Amino acid sequence: MGLNCAIDGPSGAGKSTIAKELARRLGFVYVDTGALYRSIGYYVVSKGAKTSSAEEVVPLLGDISIELKYVDGVQRVILNGEDVSDKIRTPEISMAASNVSAIPEVRDFLLNLQRDIAGKNDIIMDGRDIGTVILPSAEVKVFLTASAEERARRRFEELKDKGQNVVYEDVLNDINQRDYNDSHRETAPLKKADDAVELDTTSMTVDEVVGSIEKLIIEAQREESVPFKKIPAFRRWLFAIPRFIVRVGFSIVFNLKYEGTENLPDHGSVILAGNHRTWFDPVLIAIRVKYISAYMAKAELFDHFPLNVIIRAVHGFPTRRNSADVSALTRAEEAIRKGYNLTIFPEGTRSKDGKIGRAKSGVAFIASKCGVPVYPVGISFKSKLHFRSKITVRFGKPISPEELHINSMSKTDLRAAGELIMSNIAGLVDSDA
Ligand code: DC
């Protein structure tokens, strides 16, 4: 069973834009149920029947077979073997869909199809009655609204961008008409489920809306997810041996100074976030922290033997840079839940001159998603490293998830949290290093 997120609301509230982006970020399947009603509307129109007449529509249902396919994560609707995904996006078919959707037999006809898809996957499903009828036990329910004028404006822009010749007033009239139809029909009218969160998107950006819902989904996942575990003691002991050997080796080659060790965590499942200076930064941190850490390492490193074997042995896993790598974020979360720390370098790339760069959003995202603290680490040394160079590794006080102040997973929130983490790290780095 996957996690179900139901997004309902009137036409043009931004459901599909929001749902698509959410599905992309979270690796969920997006199910656009409006497309199912549109396909039926399209079929009825193509047969020359009246879309508002149950007598004419119901007998046609027996001839209809609808399938949803996913091509590169994008939903395609297959009506009797034909891909009609693009043909169902006209104002005429919008109205036809609204008409047929008021017929109880049409809604029954589509009920099981929608439930079947939801049963198998983590899904974001948008429509009008998802939270109330189709998936009443969905873990997350959202009711998206916006003023009719704003919704008409958005739909108008969308149709214009697609090259369709439309007049704003007509789009607004359509929206008002469809609102009336959708909320006054007898079967499954458009209404907010009692337990749905209502979001008025009139003056919100797409990123703000997506971030708010993402946060709700993540909280629901956290409730469902397995509790944190501890790494078995024997594994920690086993790891202590190579760690000791490496520490002796590094202490011979460099003049290592560790400061702020009283701030070190006395348990696992935390994030250690440092500035990135050298390829062996993870080692500098690992040899001083008692608990075993997992690492994100750039995917290219896994192309080379024996480096790949070594990195995996020390719990490294690949991440693709410059993209929201959903699988790397999932691996990071799994590691933290199993009791490992996560050592991460939020800037992503090494700083050659010691200047502190900007954090990528991953670190704040994982901290907020897992609800774990971030321990800042500052690594400092002067100019080029050579034998017996002095390297200072300074551990700072942990930053709690509450201090990161992430209200939604919007880019703005994640960026602000990333900046807070980097400024804590910067405070631990020698200014002349
Ligand atoms: O979301 P949309 O504009 O593509 O939907 C087209 C029509 O289908 C809409 O006017 C109402 C109807 N519909 C519905 O009644 N129930 C759903 N779950 C989805 C759409």
Side-chain angles (χ1 to χ4, degrees):
M1 260 288 289
L3 189 140
N4 293 340
C5 168
I7 303 183
D8 290 305
S11 308
K15 297 187 298 293
S16 69
T17 311
I18 302 296
K20 265 185 221 157
E21 177 58 13
L22 269 173
R24 191 190 67 76
R25 285 199 201 174
L26 295 163
F28 280 33
V29 173
Y30 163 52
V31 188
D32 162 16
T33 62
L36 304 174
Y37 291 91
R38 286 171 180 271
S39 312
I40 295 187
Y42 174 81
Y43 187 77
V44 174
V45 170
S46 74
K47 291 290 164 200
K50 200 162 166 232
T51 50
S52 55
S53 156
E55 288 76 41
E56 292 189 30
V57 173
V58 175
L60 294 175
L61 292 177
D63 307 333
I64 296 178
S65 119
I66 303 177
E67 245 185 291
L68 291 185
K69 279 200 177 153
Y70 288 86
V71 181
D72 297 329
V74 177
Q75 174 183 296
R76 308 296 303 181
V77 201
I78 315 295
L79 170 70
N80 294 337
E82 184 197 353
D83 186 337
V84 294
S85 316
D86 302 321
K87 293 183 182 160
I88 57 176
R89 300 284 157 199
T90 65
E92 183 198 7
I93 301 303
S94 297
M95 204 49 82
S98 180
N99 286 338
V100 297
S101 74
I103 302 171
E105 287 84 348
V106 170
R107 305 202 74 83
D108 275 352
F109 179 79
L110 293 175
L111 182 84
N112 287 335
L113 175 63
Q114 296 170 79
R115 285 195 181 151
D116 282 353
I117 305 168
K120 294 187 202 113
N121 308 291
D122 282 333
I123 54 129
I124 315 275
M125 188 177 274
D126 78 0
R128 304 292 187 289
D129 60 342
I130 310 304
T132 48
V133 177
I134 308 293
L135 305 173
S137 53
E139 289 82 356
V140 176
K141 293 183 187 177
V142 177
F143 195 76
L144 276 194
T145 59
S147 68
E149 290 71 23
E150 172 63 16
R151 288 185 285 128
R153 192 193 60 75
R154 293 178 192 166
R155 202 28 72 91
F156 173 70
E157 297 293 336
E158 187 186 323
L159 292 171
K160 231 178 40 180
D161 283 349
K162 284 188 186 154
Q164 295 189 21
N165 198 4
V166 278
V167 179
Y168 171 80
E169 280 69 29
D170 291 347
V171 180
L172 179 60
N173 285 339
D174 253 33
I175 291 256
N176 282 328
Q177 179 67 47
R178 283 215 283 154
D179 277 359
Y180 186 85
N181 285 358
D182 296 346
S183 46
H184 285 79
R185 66 179 177 226
E186 273 179 23
T187 322
L190 168 69
K191 78 172 179 31
K192 176 181 158 307
D194 293 337
D195 52 349
V197 174
E198 183 162 351
L199 279 181
D200 183 339
T201 70
T202 307
S203 46
M204 286 173 88
T205 64
V206 169
D207 182 45
E208 284 167 346
V209 182
V210 171
S212 308
I213 304 178
E214 194 174 3
K215 178 95 175 163
L216 294 175
I217 294 177
I218 284 168
E219 277 161 9
Q221 280 178 326
R222 203 186 293 161
E223 271 170 32
E224 302 229 313
S225 54
V226 281
F228 286 90
K229 287 193 201 142
K230 280 192 175 156
I231 302 177
F234 78 92
R235 296 200 56 180
R236 292 203 348 246
W237 283 110
L238 216 65
F239 215 71
I241 303 163
R243 177 168 31 221
F244 177 74
I245 297 170
V246 176
R247 186 168 162 182
V248 170
F250 266 73
S251 306
I252 293 170
V253 179
F254 298 115
N255 174 11
L256 294 183
K257 287 265 174 297
Y258 283 97
E259 294 178 10
T261 49
E262 70 280 6
N263 295 322
L264 279 175
D266 59 358
H267 53 82
S269 298
V270 306
I271 296 174
L272 292 149
N275 58 322
H276 204 2
R277 295 294 308 275
T278 75
W279 63 265
F280 55 82
D281 292 338
V283 184
L284 292 173
I285 298 176
I287 55 181
R288 199 60 188 79
V289 184
K290 254 208 227 129
Y291 291 80
I292 308 177
S293 199
Y295 305 88
M296 281 192 183
K298 57 181 175 186
E300 300 88 283
L301 297 180
F302 289 79
D303 297 338
H304 306 285
F305 178 83
L307 195 58
N308 50 0
V309 178
I310 297 170
I311 300 177
R312 281 190 205 283
V314 294
H315 310 286
F317 55 86
T319 177
R320 278 175 281 119
R321 291 193 288 181
N322 304 323
S323 70
D325 187 342
V326 176
S327 76
L329 296 175
T330 309
R331 294 282 297 275
E333 188 186 349
E334 275 170 14
I336 290 177
R337 289 196 179 280
K338 281 188 192 156
Y340 292 92
N341 291 330
L342 177 74
T343 300
I344 194 168
F345 299 92
E347 297 153 289
T349 38
R350 267 181 271 160
S351 158
K352 299 223 165 54
D353 54 6
K355 286 210 182 79
I356 305 283
R358 279 183 142 214
K360 303 232 182 298
S361 59
V363 60
F365 181 87
I366 300 167
S368 173
K369 182 156 189 219
C370 300
V372 297
V374 177
Y375 285 70
V377 188
I379 298 174
S380 321
F381 53 80
K382 279 190 191 137
S383 64
K384 268 203 145 5
L385 283 174
H386 47 79
F387 185 65
R388 296 304 295 161
S389 283
K390 180 176 163 194
I391 303 180
T392 307
V393 182
R394 214 167 268 130
F395 297 101
K397 291 207 183 321
I399 312 165
S400 69
E402 292 74 34
E403 283 171 276
L404 290 177
H405 210 76
I406 299 173
N407 294 318
S408 78
M409 289 294 189
S410 67
K411 289 195 187 102
T412 326
D413 269 6
L414 293 175
R415 196 173 299 134
E419 275 168 19
L420 178 70
I421 294 168
M422 290 320 294
S423 74
N424 272 266
I425 295 174
L428 299 166
V429 175
D430 293 335
S431 51
D432 59 345

